[in-house]
Amino acid sequence: MKLHSGFIATLRAVAEVENSDWQAAERAAVEIRLAAAVPAADIPPVRLHQAMRHSLLGGGKRLRPLLCRAAARAVFGDDCEAAWTPALAVELVHTYS
């Protein structure tokens, strides 16, 4: 299977430029969207929701959602809003496991 050259270039850029503006903006957006994806810590059952938020929002590189978004951007260009759902899902499953 031949990969689209734009896809490969985007993945290389993500891998090579660790602190790029794009990555910083994407990471910030990932954090906001992940926080919105799980129940607030004060909603019953409180202990469960606190634990979920602690595990999920404790920080990290967020490489998986960045790669998902980079792949979508390589294929669809800047119109990759639909890639948020799988990008967040991958991070949620990773955190769970």
Side-chain angles (χ1 to χ4, degrees):
M1 175 169 80
K2 184 177 180 185
L3 294 176
H4 186 274
S5 61
F7 175 76
I8 293 170
T10 302
L11 290 180
R12 282 188 183 140
V14 169
E16 292 173 5
V17 184
E18 184 173 319
N19 294 314
S20 72
D21 291 339
W22 177 82
Q23 284 186 352
E26 287 291 309
R27 279 193 180 103
V30 166
E31 293 299 329
I32 290 166
R33 289 171 184 261
L34 284 173
V38 293
D42 59 351
I43 295 176
V46 173
R47 282 187 68 194
L48 174 62
H49 293 159
Q50 286 174 341
M52 289 169 58
R53 294 182 73 81
H54 175 77
S55 178
L56 180 63
L57 304 175
K61 298 179 298 269
R62 306 299 189 207
L63 185 60
R64 289 159 190 84
L66 287 181
L67 288 173
C68 184
R69 296 275 298 155
R73 191 172 181 200
V75 174
F76 301 110
D78 289 334
D79 185 25
C80 58
E81 192 67 22
W84 277 116
T85 301
L88 297 177
V90 167
E91 190 65 19
L92 287 164
V93 169
H94 166 69
T95 301
Y96 168 78
S97 65

